[in-house]
Amino acid sequence: MADPIRARCDAADTLVAADEALARLHVAAGGTLPGVLAVPALLALVRQVRASGLAQTRPVLAMDGDCPISFHAHAAPEGDEVVLALRHWRRAPPPDEGLPAADPQALWHHLAEGHVLLDAEQRVIAADLAASDLADLAADLAGAIGRHWALCPALALGPGRLDTARLHWRLLDDMVIDVAGSARRWRLRLLPRVASGFDLLLLPETIDALPADPLLRPAAEASGAAEQTALPPWTGLLGRDLAPALRQPISRIIANAETIRSRLAGPLADAYGNYAADIAEAGRHLLGLVEDLADLDAVEAPGFAPSPDHIDLADCARRAAGILSMRARERGIVLALPDEACHAPAIGEFRRVLQVLLNLLSNAIRYTPAQATVTLACGVDGATAWIAVEDHGEGLTAEQAARVFEKFERLGRSGDGGSGLGLYISRRLARAMAGDLTVSSTPGHGARFVLTLPADLPSAGIVNAR
């Protein structure tokens, strides 16, 4: 999409010219072309600029139906008109100070193993499926250009295939399906594109057992053998059934609270705006807790084992830092990363390694003083690849370091939005991948968390930057 998106309003606040993206949003908000600018936050900005005679820039959150759109709007007077230039347009709320700023859509794109480009009627335009077990679906999609994606025979949608194709896209988003030729289950994410159409992403929903690898299997079994116990009959219920059902209503609560907080429906007393901000923050906390409990459900399931792959820990570090870079910048924290020449080949499941790193890096950013540095380093020592996240926070005592990986352990902290599950889940994931997660710390001098995994030995000649 062109950046910036440009538009002009006349002396009567009528939108007389606009690039396509803003014109679509204006019409979706109930406006006509030409007609009075229908996006409330933009209309208020245009009127302030006209009254003051001075150019202004501000972040704007608008709603396209139930979908938030954020951008930075620059408005400048030009005779009797006001000209607009909109930058950083994206279909996600802008980061609020003190709230997580990671873009979930960026993470979904990172984790997706299949990407299908759809038009506004969900008909296939193009497909890129990287996973080898999606070969049958790739072949189907290649012959399905111009047809609804749900009509592909490789998707196990049963006799209701035509009925599925008629559903609104919001009812198809987050669907879990089987795909011919794949032993895994897949979660579908439908992401509306600003210009029109959709991105259909395929994310692996289930975890395959590790192959019979003599290097990996004994360590994985040894780490999990002592932890496997008889589990209650409801194990798996949260991750399989409840979490998907809870995500949508909680997300809607957050979106509606943000709409109220941003005063998109009109003027609002400051106290009520603050109430809405509290609701949105509580919703994000609840959604994070649901995700943590779903992960806990998965890692404690019998026979849990991630799918090993050839990964580069240096690349994982750069991806995790990219996802959380906005949050770090808001606090003035510098993320020191391995340089581009550094590689640390390892064996592990990419999305699970990224999950661990995002947890470690989020904690480091949260507990490091503003204007400090968080360092990510990686390397290979013999048969072990490692990546470290080092912060400059308060650090841990020996007693705290011994407890920090326990379930629901928050070390006496309250009000920080944490569930006390992140590090417990991260260590379980590391050990399931035949590695480990450890911490070393000195009170007052920060903490250093180190994730270790089996090195990808055929590639291990390219390594080491600490």
Side-chain angles (χ1 to χ4, degrees), residues 193-383:
R193 299 171 65 87
V194 173
S196 73
F198 300 86
D199 290 310
L200 174 63
L201 303 181
L202 285 88
L203 296 95
E205 170 69 8
T206 54
I207 303 159
D208 294 339
L210 285 166
D213 187 321
L215 290 175
L216 301 183
R217 176 63 71 182
E221 288 179 349
S223 67
E227 297 174 322
Q228 293 209 4
T229 57
L231 296 172
W234 45 262
T235 295
L237 176 65
L238 179 62
R240 184 187 65 246
D241 299 321
L242 292 183
L246 291 171
R247 285 187 189 106
Q248 186 172 6
I250 296 174
S251 297
R252 182 157 296 183
I253 289 170
I254 296 170
N256 289 339
E258 285 291 356
T259 301
I260 297 170
R261 182 193 64 80
S262 303
R263 296 167 171 81
L264 294 179
L268 187 71
D270 288 344
Y272 290 102
N274 293 336
Y275 296 155
D278 289 343
I279 292 169
E281 184 174 1
R284 289 188 180 93
H285 174 68
L286 180 58
L287 189 59
L289 181 60
V290 168
E291 300 295 350
D292 283 347
L293 290 174
D295 283 333
L296 179 66
D297 209 28
V299 300
E300 292 190 334
F304 167 80
S307 301
D309 200 357
H310 302 279
I311 62 173
D312 181 359
L313 293 181
D315 174 64
C316 292
R318 288 186 281 268
R319 289 175 183 263
I323 292 169
L324 294 176
S325 59
M326 181 68 75
R327 193 188 307 183
R329 282 199 299 271
E330 284 181 339
R331 301 198 62 236
I333 291 174
V334 175
L335 300 180
L337 305 177
D339 62 44
E340 293 296 329
C342 170
H343 299 280
I347 301 295
E349 183 177 336
F350 170 75
R351 73 183 184 111
R352 293 300 189 179
V353 172
L354 189 60
Q355 179 180 348
V356 173
L357 290 180
L358 287 172
N359 180 263
L360 297 179
L361 194 53
S362 294
N363 287 344
I365 292 170
R366 180 181 298 154
Y367 299 121
T368 292
Q371 314 305 319
T373 299
V374 172
T375 303
L376 289 87
C378 59
V380 174
D381 291 331

Side-chain angles (χ1 to χ4, degrees), residues 106-133:
L107 181 57
W108 293 332
H109 276 280
H110 275 306
L111 299 181
E113 296 187 31
H115 178 196
V116 185
L117 184 63
L118 307 175
D119 67 13
E121 303 301 323
Q122 300 183 48
R123 294 174 297 214
V124 177
I125 298 174
D128 178 17
L129 291 95
S132 59
D133 55 345

